[in-house]
Amino acid sequence: MSSLNVENILNALRAVRDPDLNRDIVSLNFIKDIKIEGKDVSFSIELTTPACPVKDEMKAQAENVVRQNIPEIGKLNVTMTAIVSKRSNMQAMPILTGAKNTIAVASGKGGVGKSTVAVNLAVSLARQGATVGLIDCDIYGPSIPLMFNINEKPQMHNQKLVPLEKYGVKVMSIGFLIDSTQAVIWRGPMASGAVKQFMTDVEWGELDYLVFDLPPGTGDIQLTLVQQIPITGAVIVTTPQEMSLTDARRGMAMFNKVNVPILGVIENMSYFISSNGERENIFDTGGGKKVAEQFKVPFLGEIPIYTKIRIGSDSGRPITDSEPDSEPAKIFQTISKNLAAQISINNLSKQSAPIEISLGTN
Ligand code: ADP
């Protein structure tokens, strides 16, 4: 009897595991649209993010196990798709309901490259097929208009502001609305009020990831913001030296205090490769990893100092868009995949809890 049937295909695929979610792709319900026509088979693997770090390996593995277990298969067509999983706090804070996931990019102090990282992660995620938005929450020093080279004002539609779109990312910043010197005199409540309006009075539509570039530091404004934004998780950007790590620890403590999960630490300006090819640890080395270990959160990656990254920010065209195949852009791609994986893990762990409980009572 032929072993070519849906059940055997699924059984074979149980051998393929998602290494981040730590479960097999069948029980994760990733396998869709299995079609058998004569000896030819096709199915899709529906991931929880298009920025999956192991997408290509998973496809190859799935093809291998199916062929090995069911040798009579003719043509085999496996398609990789993705529907981004949703954050679990949708009900708790019913704003931004079109945004499946909201990521706060934070740093304990200014100048560590937080905005540069936020921008390049947003562009990387968009380039991988996700729908992405970016809110510049730095009311006192908005840098997003410069980094995207946007000089227009957003239009109104149905009484809401329409975010400006560039490099595949929908963007909103106070810098689009007022002269950047004006907000400097604003008091805290006005500043956080403006960010709140970016969440409620902007036509974001459906987004897989909405990135919040938080103002640097861990003061009152930051605390107010992280309490009013429905955050899926926070990313801490730090440079490797002790001076910056102390502030990064304070940032992590702030998120812990308000029960916002920390998706991971990104170390920026990790080292510099000099013109004679030598690595120079200008700001020391290994600090980001150390602080991640200390707080038992993932280390998402390190970004060296590259002149091209700085030029990208200054010229208003991020390196991830202008030279996507360059070394620095690839580093951002990898980190964005690690981040997307952490978000999927986070969402799954929260979703699967009630399922496990209900199974246990049977
Ligand atoms: P923050 O948001 O933490 O204040 P920025 O993102 O504004 O920091 O970055 C500060 C400066 O450092 C900017 O001029 C930016 O272009 C530059 N920069 C950030 N990261 C890097 C990097 N990895 N390599 C080179 N320049 C960088």
Short mmCIF file of all heavy atoms in Angstrom, two decimals, residues 117-169:
data_model
loop_
_atom_site.label_atom_id
_atom_site.label_comp_id
_atom_site.label_asym_id
_atom_site.label_seq_id
_atom_site.Cartn_x
_atom_site.Cartn_y
_atom_site.Cartn_z
N VAL A 117 19.74 52.08 15.96
CA VAL A 117 19.36 50.66 16.03
C VAL A 117 17.86 50.52 15.75
O VAL A 117 17.44 49.66 14.95
CB VAL A 117 19.74 50.07 17.41
CG1 VAL A 117 19.14 48.69 17.61
CG2 VAL A 117 21.26 50.02 17.56
N ALA A 118 17.04 51.39 16.36
CA ALA A 118 15.58 51.30 16.16
C ALA A 118 15.24 51.42 14.68
O ALA A 118 14.46 50.63 14.13
CB ALA A 118 14.88 52.39 16.97
N VAL A 119 15.85 52.39 14.01
CA VAL A 119 15.57 52.63 12.59
C VAL A 119 15.99 51.43 11.74
O VAL A 119 15.23 50.93 10.91
CB VAL A 119 16.33 53.91 12.12
CG1 VAL A 119 16.40 54.00 10.61
CG2 VAL A 119 15.68 55.16 12.70
N ASN A 120 17.20 50.97 11.96
CA ASN A 120 17.70 49.87 11.12
C ASN A 120 16.98 48.55 11.39
O ASN A 120 16.80 47.74 10.48
CB ASN A 120 19.21 49.72 11.27
CG ASN A 120 19.96 50.77 10.47
OD1 ASN A 120 19.99 50.71 9.25
ND2 ASN A 120 20.51 51.76 11.15
N LEU A 121 16.53 48.35 12.63
CA LEU A 121 15.73 47.14 12.91
C LEU A 121 14.39 47.24 12.20
O LEU A 121 13.91 46.27 11.61
CB LEU A 121 15.52 46.97 14.41
CG LEU A 121 16.73 46.55 15.25
CD1 LEU A 121 16.32 46.36 16.70
CD2 LEU A 121 17.37 45.27 14.71
N ALA A 122 13.78 48.43 12.26
CA ALA A 122 12.47 48.62 11.61
C ALA A 122 12.59 48.37 10.11
O ALA A 122 11.79 47.64 9.52
CB ALA A 122 11.94 50.02 11.89
N VAL A 123 13.61 48.96 9.48
CA VAL A 123 13.80 48.78 8.03
C VAL A 123 14.09 47.31 7.72
O VAL A 123 13.56 46.75 6.75
CB VAL A 123 14.91 49.72 7.50
CG1 VAL A 123 15.22 49.43 6.04
CG2 VAL A 123 14.50 51.18 7.68
N SER A 124 14.91 46.66 8.54
CA SER A 124 15.23 45.24 8.31
C SER A 124 13.98 44.38 8.35
O SER A 124 13.77 43.51 7.49
CB SER A 124 16.18 44.71 9.38
OG SER A 124 17.42 45.30 9.28
N LEU A 125 13.14 44.60 9.37
CA LEU A 125 11.92 43.80 9.49
C LEU A 125 11.02 44.02 8.28
O LEU A 125 10.44 43.08 7.73
CB LEU A 125 11.18 44.15 10.79
CG LEU A 125 11.83 43.66 12.09
CD1 LEU A 125 11.18 44.32 13.30
CD2 LEU A 125 11.75 42.14 12.21
N ALA A 126 10.93 45.29 7.84
CA ALA A 126 10.08 45.60 6.68
C ALA A 126 10.63 44.92 5.43
O ALA A 126 9.88 44.37 4.63
CB ALA A 126 10.00 47.11 6.48
N ARG A 127 11.93 44.93 5.26
CA ARG A 127 12.54 44.31 4.07
C ARG A 127 12.31 42.81 4.03
O ARG A 127 12.37 42.18 2.98
CB ARG A 127 14.04 44.61 4.01
CG ARG A 127 14.35 46.04 3.65
CD ARG A 127 15.83 46.20 3.39
NE ARG A 127 16.23 45.46 2.20
CZ ARG A 127 16.26 45.96 0.98
NH1 ARG A 127 15.92 47.21 0.78
NH2 ARG A 127 16.65 45.22 -0.04
N GLN A 128 12.08 42.22 5.21
CA GLN A 128 11.83 40.77 5.24
C GLN A 128 10.36 40.44 5.05
O GLN A 128 9.96 39.28 5.17
CB GLN A 128 12.34 40.20 6.56
CG GLN A 128 13.86 40.20 6.58
CD GLN A 128 14.43 39.91 7.94
OE1 GLN A 128 14.58 38.76 8.27
NE2 GLN A 128 14.69 40.94 8.71
N GLY A 129 9.55 41.47 4.83
CA GLY A 129 8.15 41.21 4.48
C GLY A 129 7.15 41.54 5.57
O GLY A 129 5.95 41.32 5.40
N ALA A 130 7.62 42.09 6.71
CA ALA A 130 6.68 42.44 7.77
C ALA A 130 6.14 43.86 7.52
O ALA A 130 6.79 44.67 6.86
CB ALA A 130 7.38 42.37 9.12
N THR A 131 4.93 44.14 8.07
CA THR A 131 4.43 45.51 8.01
C THR A 131 4.87 46.20 9.31
O THR A 131 4.62 45.69 10.40
CB THR A 131 2.90 45.57 7.88
OG1 THR A 131 2.35 44.64 8.82
CG2 THR A 131 2.43 45.19 6.51
N VAL A 132 5.54 47.33 9.15
CA VAL A 132 6.24 47.91 10.29
C VAL A 132 5.94 49.40 10.44
O VAL A 132 5.85 50.13 9.45
CB VAL A 132 7.78 47.73 10.12
CG1 VAL A 132 8.54 48.24 11.33
CG2 VAL A 132 8.13 46.26 9.87
N GLY A 133 5.78 49.83 11.69
CA GLY A 133 5.65 51.25 12.01
C GLY A 133 6.72 51.65 13.01
O GLY A 133 7.30 50.80 13.69
N LEU A 134 6.98 52.95 13.08
CA LEU A 134 8.00 53.44 14.01
C LEU A 134 7.51 54.76 14.61
O LEU A 134 7.16 55.69 13.88
CB LEU A 134 9.31 53.66 13.25
CG LEU A 134 10.47 54.32 13.98
CD1 LEU A 134 10.98 53.45 15.13
CD2 LEU A 134 11.63 54.58 13.00
N ILE A 135 7.44 54.81 15.95
CA ILE A 135 7.06 56.05 16.63
C ILE A 135 8.29 56.62 17.32
O ILE A 135 8.93 55.94 18.13
CB ILE A 135 5.95 55.82 17.68
CG1 ILE A 135 4.66 55.32 17.02
CG2 ILE A 135 5.68 57.10 18.46
CD1 ILE A 135 3.45 55.21 17.96
N ASP A 136 8.61 57.83 16.98
CA ASP A 136 9.72 58.54 17.62
C ASP A 136 9.17 59.17 18.89
O ASP A 136 8.43 60.14 18.85
CB ASP A 136 10.20 59.62 16.64
CG ASP A 136 11.40 60.39 17.14
OD1 ASP A 136 11.87 60.10 18.26
OD2 ASP A 136 11.87 61.28 16.40
N CYS A 137 9.49 58.58 20.05
CA CYS A 137 8.96 59.09 21.32
C CYS A 137 9.88 60.12 21.94
O CYS A 137 9.61 60.62 23.02
CB CYS A 137 8.79 57.95 22.32
SG CYS A 137 7.73 56.65 21.77
N ASP A 138 10.98 60.41 21.27
CA ASP A 138 11.91 61.38 21.83
C ASP A 138 11.44 62.79 21.48
O ASP A 138 11.87 63.39 20.50
CB ASP A 138 13.32 61.12 21.30
CG ASP A 138 14.35 61.82 22.14
OD1 ASP A 138 13.95 62.68 22.97
OD2 ASP A 138 15.55 61.52 22.00
N ILE A 139 10.49 63.26 22.30
CA ILE A 139 9.85 64.55 22.03
C ILE A 139 10.88 65.70 22.11
O ILE A 139 10.81 66.67 21.37
CB ILE A 139 8.72 64.78 23.08
CG1 ILE A 139 7.69 63.65 22.99
CG2 ILE A 139 8.08 66.13 22.93
CD1 ILE A 139 6.91 63.56 21.72
N TYR A 140 11.84 65.56 23.01
CA TYR A 140 12.81 66.65 23.22
C TYR A 140 13.97 66.62 22.22
O TYR A 140 14.66 67.60 22.06
CB TYR A 140 13.35 66.59 24.66
CG TYR A 140 12.26 66.79 25.67
CD1 TYR A 140 11.90 65.76 26.53
CD2 TYR A 140 11.57 68.00 25.77
CE1 TYR A 140 10.88 65.93 27.45
CE2 TYR A 140 10.55 68.17 26.68
CZ TYR A 140 10.22 67.13 27.52
OH TYR A 140 9.21 67.30 28.43
N GLY A 141 14.19 65.50 21.60
CA GLY A 141 15.30 65.44 20.64
C GLY A 141 15.01 64.45 19.55
O GLY A 141 15.70 63.45 19.38
N PRO A 142 13.92 64.72 18.77
CA PRO A 142 13.54 63.72 17.75
C PRO A 142 14.60 63.60 16.66
O PRO A 142 14.98 64.59 16.05
CB PRO A 142 12.24 64.29 17.18
CG PRO A 142 12.26 65.75 17.49
CD PRO A 142 13.10 65.93 18.71
N SER A 143 15.11 62.40 16.44
CA SER A 143 16.14 62.25 15.41
C SER A 143 15.63 61.49 14.19
O SER A 143 16.30 61.39 13.18
CB SER A 143 17.39 61.57 15.98
OG SER A 143 17.05 60.57 16.88
N ILE A 144 14.39 60.95 14.32
CA ILE A 144 13.87 60.14 13.22
C ILE A 144 13.67 60.95 11.92
O ILE A 144 13.98 60.44 10.84
CB ILE A 144 12.56 59.43 13.66
CG1 ILE A 144 12.85 58.50 14.85
CG2 ILE A 144 11.88 58.69 12.53
CD1 ILE A 144 13.86 57.40 14.59
N PRO A 145 13.16 62.22 11.99
CA PRO A 145 13.01 62.94 10.72
C PRO A 145 14.33 63.03 9.94
O PRO A 145 14.36 62.82 8.72
CB PRO A 145 12.55 64.35 11.16
CG PRO A 145 11.86 64.10 12.47
CD PRO A 145 12.63 62.99 13.12
N LEU A 146 15.43 63.25 10.65
CA LEU A 146 16.74 63.33 9.99
C LEU A 146 17.16 61.95 9.46
O LEU A 146 17.60 61.82 8.31
CB LEU A 146 17.80 63.84 10.98
CG LEU A 146 19.24 63.85 10.46
CD1 LEU A 146 19.44 65.00 9.48
CD2 LEU A 146 20.24 63.97 11.61
N MET A 147 16.97 60.94 10.29
CA MET A 147 17.44 59.60 9.90
C MET A 147 16.66 59.03 8.72
O MET A 147 17.10 58.11 8.06
CB MET A 147 17.38 58.64 11.09
CG MET A 147 18.43 58.96 12.12
SD MET A 147 18.40 57.76 13.46
CE MET A 147 19.81 58.33 14.41
N PHE A 148 15.41 59.54 8.50
CA PHE A 148 14.62 59.11 7.34
C PHE A 148 14.60 60.18 6.26
O PHE A 148 13.95 59.99 5.23
CB PHE A 148 13.16 58.82 7.76
CG PHE A 148 12.96 57.42 8.28
CD1 PHE A 148 13.33 57.09 9.57
CD2 PHE A 148 12.40 56.44 7.49
CE1 PHE A 148 13.14 55.80 10.06
CE2 PHE A 148 12.21 55.15 7.97
CZ PHE A 148 12.59 54.83 9.25
N ASN A 149 15.26 61.30 6.53
CA ASN A 149 15.24 62.44 5.60
C ASN A 149 13.80 62.78 5.17
O ASN A 149 13.48 62.84 3.99
CB ASN A 149 16.12 62.14 4.38
CG ASN A 149 16.29 63.36 3.50
OD1 ASN A 149 16.14 64.49 3.98
ND2 ASN A 149 16.56 63.15 2.23
N ILE A 150 12.93 62.95 6.18
CA ILE A 150 11.54 63.32 5.89
C ILE A 150 11.35 64.77 6.28
O ILE A 150 11.62 65.15 7.43
CB ILE A 150 10.54 62.42 6.66
CG1 ILE A 150 10.66 60.97 6.17
CG2 ILE A 150 9.11 62.93 6.50
CD1 ILE A 150 9.74 59.98 6.88
N ASN A 151 10.90 65.57 5.33
CA ASN A 151 10.70 67.00 5.61
C ASN A 151 9.25 67.42 5.43
O ASN A 151 8.92 68.58 5.62
CB ASN A 151 11.59 67.84 4.68
CG ASN A 151 13.05 67.48 4.86
OD1 ASN A 151 13.58 67.54 5.96
ND2 ASN A 151 13.70 67.05 3.79
N GLU A 152 8.38 66.45 5.07
CA GLU A 152 6.97 66.84 4.87
C GLU A 152 6.20 66.76 6.17
O GLU A 152 6.67 66.18 7.14
CB GLU A 152 6.25 65.87 3.92
CG GLU A 152 6.92 65.58 2.64
CD GLU A 152 6.93 64.08 2.38
OE1 GLU A 152 5.83 63.52 2.26
OE2 GLU A 152 8.02 63.50 2.30
N LYS A 153 4.98 67.28 6.12
CA LYS A 153 4.08 67.15 7.27
C LYS A 153 3.06 66.05 6.96
O LYS A 153 2.63 65.92 5.81
CB LYS A 153 3.33 68.46 7.50
CG LYS A 153 4.21 69.54 8.08
CD LYS A 153 3.37 70.57 8.81
CE LYS A 153 4.19 71.70 9.37
NZ LYS A 153 5.35 71.34 10.16
N PRO A 154 2.66 65.28 7.98
CA PRO A 154 1.64 64.24 7.72
C PRO A 154 0.28 64.85 7.38
O PRO A 154 -0.07 65.92 7.89
CB PRO A 154 1.57 63.47 9.04
CG PRO A 154 2.51 64.13 9.98
CD PRO A 154 3.13 65.31 9.35
N GLN A 155 -0.46 64.19 6.50
CA GLN A 155 -1.81 64.62 6.11
C GLN A 155 -2.82 64.11 7.14
O GLN A 155 -2.52 63.19 7.90
CB GLN A 155 -2.18 64.03 4.76
CG GLN A 155 -1.20 64.30 3.65
CD GLN A 155 -1.32 65.73 3.14
OE1 GLN A 155 -2.42 66.20 2.88
NE2 GLN A 155 -0.20 66.42 3.04
N MET A 156 -4.03 64.70 7.08
CA MET A 156 -5.13 64.20 7.93
C MET A 156 -6.06 63.34 7.07
O MET A 156 -6.28 63.64 5.91
CB MET A 156 -5.95 65.35 8.49
CG MET A 156 -5.25 66.26 9.45
SD MET A 156 -4.86 65.49 11.03
CE MET A 156 -6.46 65.47 11.82
N HIS A 157 -6.61 62.30 7.70
CA HIS A 157 -7.62 61.48 7.02
C HIS A 157 -8.58 60.98 8.10
O HIS A 157 -8.12 60.40 9.10
CB HIS A 157 -6.96 60.30 6.29
CG HIS A 157 -7.94 59.42 5.58
ND1 HIS A 157 -8.22 58.15 5.99
CD2 HIS A 157 -8.72 59.68 4.49
CE1 HIS A 157 -9.13 57.63 5.17
NE2 HIS A 157 -9.45 58.54 4.25
N ASN A 158 -9.88 61.19 7.91
CA ASN A 158 -10.87 60.81 8.93
C ASN A 158 -10.47 61.30 10.32
O ASN A 158 -10.47 60.53 11.28
CB ASN A 158 -11.05 59.29 8.99
CG ASN A 158 -11.70 58.74 7.76
OD1 ASN A 158 -12.40 59.47 7.07
ND2 ASN A 158 -11.46 57.47 7.47
N GLN A 159 -10.09 62.55 10.41
CA GLN A 159 -9.69 63.16 11.71
C GLN A 159 -8.44 62.54 12.32
O GLN A 159 -8.16 62.74 13.50
CB GLN A 159 -10.81 63.04 12.77
CG GLN A 159 -12.21 63.25 12.30
CD GLN A 159 -12.61 64.70 12.47
OE1 GLN A 159 -12.36 65.30 13.49
NE2 GLN A 159 -13.22 65.26 11.45
N LYS A 160 -7.73 61.76 11.54
CA LYS A 160 -6.51 61.16 12.08
C LYS A 160 -5.31 61.53 11.22
O LYS A 160 -5.45 61.77 10.02
CB LYS A 160 -6.64 59.63 12.13
CG LYS A 160 -7.60 59.17 13.19
CD LYS A 160 -7.40 57.72 13.51
CE LYS A 160 -8.17 57.36 14.76
NZ LYS A 160 -7.83 56.09 15.29
N LEU A 161 -4.15 61.55 11.86
CA LEU A 161 -2.92 61.81 11.10
C LEU A 161 -2.51 60.55 10.34
O LEU A 161 -2.63 59.44 10.88
CB LEU A 161 -1.79 62.17 12.06
CG LEU A 161 -1.80 63.58 12.65
CD1 LEU A 161 -0.81 63.65 13.81
CD2 LEU A 161 -1.44 64.60 11.58
N VAL A 162 -2.05 60.74 9.12
CA VAL A 162 -1.58 59.60 8.34
C VAL A 162 -0.05 59.56 8.48
O VAL A 162 0.63 60.53 8.16
CB VAL A 162 -1.97 59.73 6.85
CG1 VAL A 162 -1.52 58.52 6.06
CG2 VAL A 162 -3.47 59.95 6.71
N PRO A 163 0.50 58.45 8.99
CA PRO A 163 1.95 58.41 9.15
C PRO A 163 2.67 58.51 7.81
O PRO A 163 2.12 58.13 6.78
CB PRO A 163 2.20 57.03 9.80
CG PRO A 163 0.98 56.24 9.57
CD PRO A 163 -0.16 57.19 9.37
N LEU A 164 3.85 59.07 7.82
CA LEU A 164 4.62 59.16 6.57
C LEU A 164 5.33 57.84 6.35
O LEU A 164 5.76 57.20 7.32
CB LEU A 164 5.61 60.32 6.67
CG LEU A 164 4.90 61.68 6.73
CD1 LEU A 164 5.79 62.77 7.25
CD2 LEU A 164 4.35 62.05 5.36
N GLU A 165 5.44 57.44 5.11
CA GLU A 165 6.01 56.11 4.83
C GLU A 165 7.28 56.24 4.01
O GLU A 165 7.32 56.91 2.99
CB GLU A 165 4.97 55.26 4.08
CG GLU A 165 5.34 53.81 4.12
CD GLU A 165 4.18 52.89 3.71
OE1 GLU A 165 3.02 53.33 3.74
OE2 GLU A 165 4.47 51.74 3.37
N LYS A 166 8.34 55.60 4.49
CA LYS A 166 9.61 55.61 3.75
C LYS A 166 10.38 54.33 4.07
O LYS A 166 10.33 53.85 5.20
CB LYS A 166 10.42 56.84 4.13
CG LYS A 166 11.38 57.27 3.04
CD LYS A 166 11.79 58.71 3.18
CE LYS A 166 12.74 59.09 2.08
NZ LYS A 166 13.26 60.45 2.24
N TYR A 167 11.10 53.84 3.10
CA TYR A 167 11.89 52.59 3.25
C TYR A 167 11.02 51.45 3.79
O TYR A 167 11.47 50.63 4.59
CB TYR A 167 13.11 52.81 4.14
CG TYR A 167 13.89 54.06 3.81
CD1 TYR A 167 14.21 55.00 4.79
CD2 TYR A 167 14.28 54.32 2.50
CE1 TYR A 167 14.90 56.15 4.47
CE2 TYR A 167 14.97 55.48 2.17
CZ TYR A 167 15.28 56.39 3.16
OH TYR A 167 15.95 57.54 2.83
N GLY A 168 9.74 51.48 3.43
CA GLY A 168 8.83 50.40 3.82
C GLY A 168 8.30 50.52 5.24
O GLY A 168 7.61 49.63 5.72
N VAL A 169 8.61 51.64 5.92
CA VAL A 169 8.21 51.79 7.33
C VAL A 169 7.29 53.01 7.46
O VAL A 169 7.56 54.06 6.89
CB VAL A 169 9.46 51.98 8.22
CG1 VAL A 169 9.07 52.19 9.68
CG2 VAL A 169 10.41 50.80 8.09
#
